[in-house]
Amino acid sequence: MKLLGAALGVVASTLLLLVLLLWANPFERANDALDYAFGAAPKWTQVETLLTDPTTQETSRGEHPGPSLQSLAAYWGSHGGAKRVVFMGNSQMQTMSLAPGETAPGATELTYFDQVADFYREHSGNVLCYRLSAPGMSYTETLWYLEYLLQNAALRPDAVVLQINYQAFWNGGIRHGALEMLGTPAFRARIETLARSGQPYAEFFDEALKNYAQQRRGTTTVGAASTAQGPGYGWETEAREQLEKTGLLEKSRAAKASFEQMLYRARLYILRLQPSSARSISGPRLLRSQAAIEAIAERCRLAHVKLVLFTAPLNPRISLYRNAEDKATYETFVQNVATKYNLPLYRFDDCVLAEYWGRLLNGPDPLHLGRRGHQIVAAKMIEIVRKTLPGE
Amino acid sequence: MQFNSYSYLLFLVLVVAIFWTLTPPLRRVLVLLVSILFYASWSIRYAPLPFLLCAGVFLCAHGIVRNPALAKRWLWTGVAFTVSILVFFKYRLFLLDNVNQMLAAFGRSPVETTLALGLPLGISFYSFEAISYLIDTRQGRVKSVSFMDLTMFVTFWPHLIAGPIVRVRELIPQFSFRKRFEMAMLIRGLDRLIWGLVQKNVIADNLGTFVNEGFLPQAAHANTSVDNWFLAFAFGLQIYFDFASYSNMAIGAAQLIGITLPENFRFPYHAANPSDFWARWHMTLSRWIRDYLFFPINAKYKAAAGPLYLSLIGIMALVGLWHGAGWGFVLWGTMHGIYLVLFRIWESLRERKFPWLAQSRIAAAAWKVFTLLAVMAAWIPFRAGSISQALTLLRTMMTGHSFRMSYSINLYLVTLMVALVAILEPFISERFHAWESRLVQWPKLRTTNLFVLRPLLYAVGALLFLAFDDRNTLFIYFQF
């Protein structure tokens, strides 16, 4: 009996410590310590008070875009006759990293996109801008979103302003949160066609369709078909629902994010491998990105949607290209696409001076602009929209 | 219920708590009922299958014992019965595909089937256990076993789905459940269970994300040689941590009710040579193959080199086929067969011509490096979707001249990080136990260790398990 009591003591002690760890999140504390030790920029320089407006932005940052796009359809539907411009790109469009010397964030800060949208709301009233961006958005995902917009008349844009970024060539895949969009039959049919196209990006669409089918059936991704039919799946769902109510799972997700951030910081601070470290592009990811951009251009041409390309601003302190060949490969491809499809191409590469860029932890931010940087890009972007939609 | 699911962990806590409050006869009933419930949780449709198998082999074993004159016939009937169930469920479509390909080559129309059956979980594992029971009975190593004992042996839930592949004489004597509860059972059980949860959720599944992208069919033509080597290592590490995690959780769960299951892994990537690899990797399968296939064949051919080598390659090809109904698995097994033959040829050559090399550190290091690289390369056909994809990837690995990295830097970093874990695993384990045994020499620290330090370690493991929880990934070996 004494032994059983001691055993219960071990289990109870473990559970108590687990709860304490979940609430204390030691990984977050470790991150703070690492930031302090390695002289990272203060946290407030990563602006969290950016404007959130579901009528002009996909607000889930790509994690749960279905509801955002449905509410957009309703909003655009109530503004018939207005021209619609969709901006597509990665986190540069939706993040602000204050540069040294810039004051602390105000109540609401505006990205360059927000400033463009505001400008047209105030001065025209006939142009509706929308930002469809997500951190690390790949061109395969961009194609995915474009197909979704085109299959629904209420979401059909008149123009698409597409950010072309060397870093985005590294990305691939469709994130899980976007699979819900396949619930729209016309869109799913279109994705099925693309999955059979034999194009380099087709595998991602095929995988997305399989993952969606598994989600719907309540099955798992690997293994035997027999796993789908048992009552265990329902028991697990029930267990998870109960745990979700306790707040435990939310805490564990926060712990995961902090743990990954801790590894990321270790990479940055100790291995000195930064997102700004120069890299080559090659292999399957390059081929997929190139094919996806060409497919976007072709799809816009067929749908009579004006497509505008602009190269993302680059921090002059950083070269993302490992060598001249990488830069040439990238620039030649972008120029060739623009020429082949007769697309306007605007180069923003050097438009923001080094002092207007933010800092990422303890180094220069390769991607995210400061407040002034956003203002500079906004001024140029307003002109681009004006040229794209003359008379508006 | 997966071992790393919340429902299973809750189920395990309840089962262990109830188990220790019961008398030994009732414990037997509980374990049998729990095993049935566990298997049915995956699929009610296939729940009767292990019992059907048990009934068949029980009758045959009964025949072997009752009628020694017909023992051989009863043995082969039992083996044929078990193998036919395995072939029907696991290899039916593979055989049909190959027949249809041959028919197509002769311009004939394909044979079609409308029979839609999934693969019952664990069938490869419990079939092998049933065969071992029959052979052990025939060879007199196992005496009479009751039907309940046999059913408990086959369906015992910790090893039912993916091993370890146990033997009757290892497990059935423990089913008397007469042991009293000891704290060591709880500690050993929790050690294995929690380390298994971390291995699965934190290590294996995270590698899986990178591996899945790298093995997409079209990537084969664009990956560089450095990509493919990293992918081979990434998958090799993923499958090791995935399968070892399952074995750890199985051993841990069994330990919580006082049952000791055999070990399945002993740091396989530290193997000194191909033969040593198989003494460390999926050890319970290796000894099954050794005892029930290799030794009998070896005895038959009286160890003549040629037939021995051919049989070794053939057996390893069969081991590949046991893993999955596909030619990629056969190629994987064949590659391992060739490695083993090469090592045996080297060993016999060394003994005859270069005995002084027995102590050579350079030769030992060369074999260690060769084994690691060769084992990792062999994972390519195991993981690839087709033979042509596997060959393309292997060709790039062997002849490629580009060292560009095509994927996120995280693929390469995480692979290196996990490789470091695999390298340090035995040393950390050894140091930790040495440190702990010194610590508990002081009575006061013994209590602190039991109620604070160990629980803290478990809590950190549980925190990582919870943080990296993803219900959408199964154990890789479930598909076998």
Side-chain angles (χ1 to χ4, degrees):
Chain A
M1 210 56 190
K2 196 179 163 189
L3 261 179
L4 283 174
L8 278 176
V10 173
V11 174
S13 179
T14 302
L15 289 175
L16 184 68
L17 286 165
L18 173 62
V19 170
L20 281 174
L21 286 174
L22 273 168
W23 258 259
N25 194 351
F27 308 126
E28 191 57 39
R29 305 287 84 77
N31 286 336
D32 292 343
L34 282 168
D35 285 349
Y36 181 76
F38 287 89
K43 274 189 176 170
W44 58 262
T45 59
Q46 303 301 313
V47 179
E48 288 178 357
T49 54
L50 290 165
L51 176 76
T52 304
D53 179 358
T55 64
T56 61
Q57 305 159 358
E58 196 290 286
T59 51
S60 77
R61 299 168 72 88
E63 294 304 324
H64 196 41
S68 290
L69 293 171
Q70 280 164 19
S71 73
L72 175 69
Y75 178 71
W76 277 4
S78 65
H79 289 72
K83 298 285 184 191
R84 302 156 175 181
V85 187
V86 174
F87 289 70
M88 301 175 98
N90 63 11
S91 61
Q92 191 177 63
M93 278 188 177
Q94 60 182 41
T95 307
M96 187 182 288
S97 172
L98 292 173
E102 288 186 324
T103 54
T108 306
E109 295 282 349
L110 300 180
T111 61
Y112 71 78
F113 166 78
D114 297 324
Q115 294 170 45
V116 174
D118 266 6
F119 176 88
Y120 279 97
R121 191 163 25 212
E122 285 170 17
H123 292 87
S124 162
N126 202 33
V127 176
L128 299 173
C129 297
Y130 191 78
R131 183 181 73 201
L132 233 175
S133 63
M137 186 146 121
S138 67
Y139 292 110
T140 313
E141 269 186 323
T142 310
L143 176 60
W144 168 280
Y145 281 121
L146 180 68
E147 291 292 351
Y148 190 81
L149 298 178
L150 292 178
Q151 56 79 36
N152 183 345
L155 289 171
R156 197 180 175 82
D158 294 289
V160 169
V161 179
L162 178 64
Q163 178 207 51
I164 301 289
N165 189 333
Y166 181 77
Q167 275 194 323
F169 275 67
W170 281 86
N171 302 325
I174 309 294
R175 63 198 85 193
H176 264 256
L179 298 183
E180 62 196 4
M181 294 159 75
L182 288 168
T184 306
F187 175 63
R188 189 168 65 243
R190 184 68 195 140
I191 293 299
E192 281 166 354
T193 307
L194 290 174
R196 290 192 300 267
S197 66
Q199 290 293 327
Y201 52 76
E203 289 170 342
F204 283 136
F205 290 150
D206 189 45
E207 201 170 68
L209 287 164
K210 283 179 187 156
N211 288 340
Y212 176 70
Q214 282 164 347
Q215 269 185 8
R216 300 262 298 175
R217 284 201 308 265
T219 60
T220 38
T221 49
V222 187
S226 58
T227 57
Q229 300 138 9
Y233 197 89
W235 301 343
E236 180 64 11
T237 305
E238 182 62 32
R240 281 170 186 273
E241 281 172 6
Q242 294 304 322
L243 282 171
E244 196 74 68
K245 285 178 192 166
T246 65
L248 185 101
L249 297 187
E250 196 187 327
K251 292 281 178 196
S252 69
R253 284 191 286 270
K256 180 184 182 181
S258 305
F259 185 81
E260 287 176 340
Q261 276 296 315
M262 194 176 73
L263 291 182
Y264 183 65
R265 280 168 164 77
R267 193 186 105 177
L268 243 65
Y269 294 148
I270 298 161
L271 300 178
R272 298 185 183 280
L273 280 168
Q274 309 214 342
S276 55
S277 298
R279 292 177 214 172
S280 291
I281 45 171
S282 64
R285 286 191 167 191
L286 173 65
L287 296 179
R288 283 180 198 130
S289 296
Q290 289 179 330
I293 291 173
E294 290 222 29
I296 290 165
E298 179 64 15
R299 191 74 179 97
C300 285
R301 189 181 66 79
L302 290 173
H304 305 293
V305 172
K306 287 182 181 174
L307 177 63
V308 177
L309 306 181
F310 76 100
T311 57
L314 295 174
N315 188 335
R317 288 198 180 95
I318 293 164
S319 171
L320 295 173
Y321 314 105
R322 184 173 286 280
N323 53 41
E325 189 192 340
D326 291 325
K327 189 171 187 212
T329 304
Y330 166 70
E331 289 187 343
T332 308
F333 168 74
V334 175
Q335 188 58 58
N336 286 347
V337 170
T339 308
K340 183 176 173 185
Y341 294 93
N342 195 23
L343 303 173
L345 168 64
Y346 299 93
R347 292 198 176 274
F348 280 37
D349 308 43
D350 305 320
C351 75
V352 180
L353 298 174
E355 58 260 40
Y356 301 139
W357 288 82
R359 288 175 70 203
L360 180 69
L361 297 174
N362 67 338
D365 194 317
L367 193 63
H368 305 121
L369 304 159
R371 189 183 289 126
R372 179 77 187 118
H374 274 285
Q375 288 165 356
I376 292 166
V377 176
K380 286 177 72 80
M381 200 59 84
I382 287 166
E383 285 308 307
I384 288 177
V385 177
R386 204 194 304 275
K387 283 180 195 167
T388 308
L389 301 171
E392 301 295 341
Chain B
M1 283 187 290
Q2 279 225 101
F3 278 1
N4 61 336
S5 66
Y6 300 130
S7 49
Y8 172 74
L9 294 172
L10 186 66
F11 165 88
L12 184 65
V13 169
L14 288 174
V15 169
V16 172
I18 296 169
F19 178 89
W20 289 110
T21 62
L22 299 176
T23 58
L26 287 175
R27 287 174 185 174
R28 286 167 58 81
V29 177
L30 176 77
V31 167
L32 184 61
L33 289 176
V34 160
S35 299
I36 295 167
L37 185 67
F38 177 76
Y39 198 64
S41 79
W42 288 100
S43 165
I44 289 177
R45 189 183 185 187
Y46 294 117
L49 191 63
F51 299 94
L52 176 74
L53 187 77
C54 285
V57 294
F58 182 74
L59 280 176
C60 294
H62 203 62
I64 292 170
V65 175
R66 288 274 301 269
N67 196 345
L70 294 175
K72 195 173 177 183
R73 193 171 291 174
W74 278 114
L75 169 70
W76 285 110
T77 307
V79 171
F81 170 70
T82 309
V83 171
S84 50
I85 288 180
L86 181 62
V87 169
F88 176 75
F89 281 104
K90 187 165 177 174
Y91 300 101
R92 186 183 69 254
L93 293 176
F94 175 66
L95 292 172
L96 197 65
D97 278 352
N98 284 283
V99 167
N100 282 342
Q101 278 179 23
M102 281 197 285
L103 288 173
F106 289 103
R108 300 286 181 89
S109 52
V111 180
E112 289 187 8
T113 177
T114 52
L115 192 63
L117 285 173
L119 177 69
L121 278 173
I123 190 167
S124 308
F125 291 89
Y126 58 72
S127 299
F128 267 33
E129 283 161 348
I131 292 172
S132 81
Y133 161 62
L134 285 168
I135 297 174
D136 285 352
T137 306
R138 167 79 173 92
Q139 294 177 345
R141 286 194 289 262
V142 171
K143 303 294 173 196
S144 62
V145 167
S146 73
F147 184 68
M148 186 174 175
D149 274 338
L150 177 66
T151 314
M152 283 173 74
F153 161 70
V154 169
T155 62
F156 183 50
W157 92 89
H159 77 88
L160 174 62
I161 308 285
I165 300 171
V166 285
R167 294 182 186 183
V168 165
R169 59 187 188 280
E170 281 173 331
L171 206 51
I172 288 183
Q174 300 189 67
F175 284 154
S176 62
F177 295 121
R178 295 201 181 281
K179 280 185 189 169
R180 284 174 176 272
F181 176 76
E182 290 168 24
M183 190 54 87
M185 289 175 187
L186 179 76
I187 298 298
R188 280 201 297 265
L190 287 179
D191 278 2
R192 303 299 287 263
L193 196 67
I194 290 175
W195 176 227
L197 289 170
V198 173
Q199 281 180 311
K200 170 67 181 158
N201 278 24
V202 184
I203 303 177
D205 288 352
N206 279 305
L207 275 172
T209 312
F210 299 116
V211 169
N212 290 346
E213 188 187 344
F215 276 93
L216 283 173
Q218 290 204 17
H221 300 285
N223 285 352
T224 64
S225 43
V226 76
D227 294 336
N228 288 348
W229 274 109
F230 265 92
L231 285 168
F233 270 80
F235 180 66
L237 291 162
Q238 183 203 355
I239 196 167
Y240 163 59
F241 280 107
D242 191 280
F243 194 17
S245 75
Y246 184 91
S247 298
N248 275 327
M249 283 187 259
I251 292 167
Q255 192 58 240
L256 289 175
I257 55 167
I259 298 281
T260 304
L261 291 180
E263 292 295 334
N264 228 5
F265 291 92
R266 193 165 49 84
F267 315 118
Y269 295 133
H270 286 256
N273 54 59
S275 182
D276 186 33
F277 175 78
W278 282 98
R280 292 163 174 268
W281 176 272
H282 203 173
M283 291 148 71
T284 55
L285 174 69
S286 301
R287 67 175 188 175
W288 195 100
I289 299 294
R290 182 195 63 202
D291 294 349
Y292 299 121
L293 278 178
F294 185 70
F295 282 169
I297 291 173
N298 202 359
K300 191 168 183 178
Y301 291 106
K302 296 188 173 54
L308 179 73
Y309 295 158
L310 278 178
S311 68
L312 198 51
I313 293 172
I315 286 169
M316 291 311 290
L318 275 178
V319 170
L321 195 61
W322 174 85
H323 277 83
W327 290 112
F329 297 106
V330 177
L331 179 56
W332 169 78
T334 309
M335 286 169 81
H336 273 280
I338 293 168
Y339 302 156
L340 289 167
V341 167
L342 284 176
F343 181 66
R344 280 180 173 253
I345 292 172
W346 160 257
E347 281 288 276
S348 92
L349 203 66
R350 185 185 55 73
E351 277 170 23
R352 281 185 284 117
K353 304 256 170 111
F354 320 106
W356 48 273
L357 272 176
Q359 302 303 320
S360 163
R361 283 187 180 182
I362 294 172
W367 270 110
K368 201 163 185 165
V369 171
F370 168 79
T371 304
L372 185 64
L373 295 177
V375 165
M376 291 303 181
W379 287 122
I380 292 283
F382 193 95
R383 176 60 180 77
S386 65
I387 286 283
S388 66
Q389 187 195 4
L391 293 178
T392 307
L393 293 166
L394 284 169
R395 197 178 309 121
T396 312
M397 282 166 81
M398 305 305 165
T399 61
H401 49 77
S402 171
F403 291 94
R404 279 175 169 238
M405 294 189 285
S406 312
Y407 296 93
S408 154
I409 191 77
N410 291 338
L411 160 68
Y412 310 94
L413 286 178
V414 171
T415 305
L416 289 172
M417 206 160 73
V418 175
L420 192 67
V421 174
I423 291 167
L424 296 178
E425 203 185 0
F427 308 111
I428 291 172
S429 164
E430 192 187 310
R431 293 305 309 156
F432 176 75
H433 287 113
W435 172 80
E436 195 186 28
S437 55
R438 272 210 303 275
L439 191 78
V440 297
Q441 282 170 2
W442 287 283
K444 277 187 183 170
L445 287 180
R446 200 176 300 159
T447 313
T448 313
N449 179 52
L450 189 63
F451 294 108
V452 181
L453 297 181
R454 268 194 173 271
L456 183 62
L457 212 59
Y458 296 152
V460 171
L463 175 68
L464 287 170
F465 151 71
L466 285 173
F468 285 87
D469 156 58
D470 176 6
R471 78 178 299 188
N472 290 315
T473 51
L474 275 179
F475 287 92
I476 295 174
Y477 262 67
F478 275 25
Q479 62 195 302
F480 308 139

